[in-house]
Amino acid sequence: MLRQTVIERHAIWITLVPARQLLAPTEPDTVGNATVAHPRSQGDEGRNKGRDGELTLHLSVTLTRRGVETKLVLANSSTARSPEPDRSLIKALARAHVWWGDLASGRIASIGALAAREGVTDRYVSHVLDLAFLAPRIVDAILTGTQPATLNAKALTLGPDLPLHWQGQVDALGVPLGIQPAQSAPR
C-alpha cells in the first residue's frame, strides 16, 4: 500500500507499506482471495527496506517544460514507452513547408502578404518558415518523437533565430547525437 510519494526536481521517492501492517493483528496475511506479497529486503538498486518492512523506491527523474505541460522523464528507464510524436511540432513543420511552397511558387507575393492572410505577424511567419530548413536530424527526431522534451512548437516558432548551418541547429536545440536521419528506401 502506498504510504507516501515525494516528487523533487531530480527524484521521486515512493514509500510502500506491506498490506499486512494495515490489517488487524489477528487477521491473516490475505486480502480477499489475494495473498499479501512481502517486499524483498535487498538486491534491488534504488530500493531500500525501511522500518517495519516499509519499502522506499528512489527514481532519478528530470522535470521538463513542454509547452503548457510539465513532462516527467525517468533517467535510464529500460521500461520506457515508445516515444510519441508531438502533433503541434509536426503541424508547425507541415505549415512551414506549405508556406514556403506558397512563397516559392509565387502563389503569395511576400511574407507580409502571407502574415496578413494567416492573421499573424511577419516575425511569426519568418520563424515558422525557418522550420522548412531544419536539419534532417531534427526533422527525424520530431517525426519519431525522440526530440528533447524541451523542444516544442512554441520554442521553435517564438524562440531565438536558429542558425542556418545544420550542425548549429542541432547544437542550439540540443538534439542528441545518437539520433540519425531515417534512411530512404532504395528505388
Side-chain angles (χ1 to χ4, degrees), residues 33-57:
N33 294 331
T35 302
V36 177
H38 299 288
R40 290 183 291 211
S41 60
Q42 59 185 351
D44 291 328
E45 186 176 313
R47 296 177 179 170
N48 298 312
K49 190 173 180 183
R51 65 179 194 273
D52 299 326
E54 285 184 357
L55 177 69
T56 300
L57 303 170

Side-chain angles (χ1 to χ4, degrees), residues 53-75:
E54 285 184 357
L55 177 69
T56 300
L57 303 170
H58 172 262
L59 303 168
S60 296
V61 298
T62 304
L63 295 173
T64 54
R65 295 282 302 165
R66 185 170 169 170
V68 296
E69 66 185 22
T70 299
K71 187 170 188 169
L72 180 74
V73 181
L74 294 176

Side-chain angles (χ1 to χ4, degrees), residues 32 36 54 60 63 79 82 87 101-103 109 112 128 141 144 167 187:
V36 177
E54 285 184 357
S60 296
L63 295 173
T79 60
S82 298
R87 290 184 177 159
D102 288 347
L103 286 167
V128 171
T144 59
Q167 188 58 48
R187 294 179 186 225

Side-chain angles (χ1 to χ4, degrees), residues 88-155:
S88 62
L89 267 173
I90 293 171
K91 183 178 176 182
L93 279 176
R95 179 178 287 155
H97 286 279
V98 168
W99 288 359
W100 176 247
D102 288 347
L103 286 167
S105 69
R107 285 189 298 269
I108 202 90
S110 67
I111 288 177
L114 183 56
R117 181 186 83 185
E118 298 294 327
V120 295
T121 65
D122 293 6
R123 180 167 168 75
Y124 178 76
V125 169
S126 295
H127 277 279
V128 171
L129 285 171
D130 287 346
L131 303 184
F133 304 99
L134 280 177
R137 178 181 290 173
I138 297 169
V139 172
D140 189 60
I142 290 169
L143 294 176
T144 59
T146 56
Q147 77 280 357
T150 56
L151 182 59
N152 57 49
K154 185 176 181 179

